Amino acid sequence: MSLLDVRKVSQHFGSLIAVNGVSLTVEPGELRAIIGPNGAGKTTFFNLISGFFPPTSGTIVFGGADVTALPAHKRVAMGMARTFQITEIFPELTVRENLRIPVEVAAGLRLRPWLSRSADGEIRARIGELMDMSGLTAKADRMVGELAHGDQRATEIMMSLALKPRLLLLDEPTAGMGDQETYDITRLIRRLHREQKLTIVLIEHDMRVIFHLADRIMVLAEGSVLDEGTADEIAKSERVQTAYLGKAA
Ligand SMILES: Nc1ncnc2c1ncn2[C@@H]1O[C@H](COP(=O)(O)OP(=O)(O)O)[C@@H](O)[C@H]1O
Ligand SMILES: [Mg+2]
């Protein structure tokens, strides 16, 4: 059974058709990419998958259940995690404190007045694991707001991962980053996919990131699917080169 099955979803904003009958099937363990020029409807498509608003038409099936009418928080509870184009972290808290929040939520221990020593130990161990995985250990006690953009993004990705999602949706995780940070985040995403077997759908505008990561790529343009295929197929697609590179160049 597919983990995610999006069937012909559309989103109209007044007379604008931001997403026009787009379908996407994601199998467990896959790393899928969505690319396309600015304004193609990529973020809106993510908003529909994650339940920000219901689609004008179409259906969304997640883990075998029709979630089309479910609000975002119910989808999160079912194992759908998402990061945004703008980083969502608590800048005044340290890396460790930021991670502690979703780790406690995942353990069902959030908002308990006190924790047993063993529960606290497990939570610390899990936070340590997440920091090791992402190379954040040396920055554990730094305020996240003071960190470089790439480390903030890594913290945010690990906060999503702490919730043990079945599906991770990443909207332009390398937006606004320099070459080194882009490389680091790309490497982190690849590790989460390969080592943690995490299923990921990634929106990205940086072609280099995509071609190093994704199993399959879907190209959106003006709300519609322009092409779909492996990295090699997309790299050779004339339709994609004309529409995508023509506008981005
Ligand atoms: N909430 C909204 N209300 C009205 N128009 C929107 C809204 N969100 C996105 N749009 C429009 O939908 C189109 C697709 O936007 P978006 O999904 O953000 O594209 P992308 O992420 O591919 O750059 C754009 O023309 C954008 O202006
Ligand atoms: Mg966008």
Side-chain angles (χ1 to χ4, degrees), residues 38 42-43 85 171-172 203:
N38 258 335
K42 305 181 297 295
T43 296
Q85 227 166 320
D171 192 349
E172 300 202 16
I203 293 177

Side-chain angles (χ1 to χ4, degrees), residues 19-112:
V19 174
N20 192 2
V22 176
S23 298
L24 172 73
T25 311
V26 181
E27 304 303 328
E30 243 188 316
L31 198 163
R32 268 313 177 91
I34 302 173
I35 62 173
N38 258 335
K42 305 181 297 295
T43 296
T44 305
F45 186 59
F46 259 24
N47 286 338
L48 297 175
I49 296 175
S50 57
F52 248 49
F53 34 67
T56 309
S57 61
T59 53
I60 299 162
V61 177
F62 179 57
D66 187 335
V67 299
T68 315
L70 289 187
H73 71 270
K74 293 230 167 110
R75 300 187 202 194
V76 173
M78 290 170 73
M80 207 190 271
R82 160 167 193 193
T83 65
F84 292 85
Q85 227 166 320
I86 300 157
T87 298
E88 293 234 327
I89 32 121
F90 299 96
E92 309 282 305
L93 299 182
T94 65
V95 171
R96 196 191 300 279
E97 288 163 345
N98 267 281
L99 285 169
R100 187 167 189 104
I101 299 164
V103 167
E104 286 187 1
V105 170
L109 295 170
R110 192 75 191 142
L111 304 178
R112 289 273 181 92

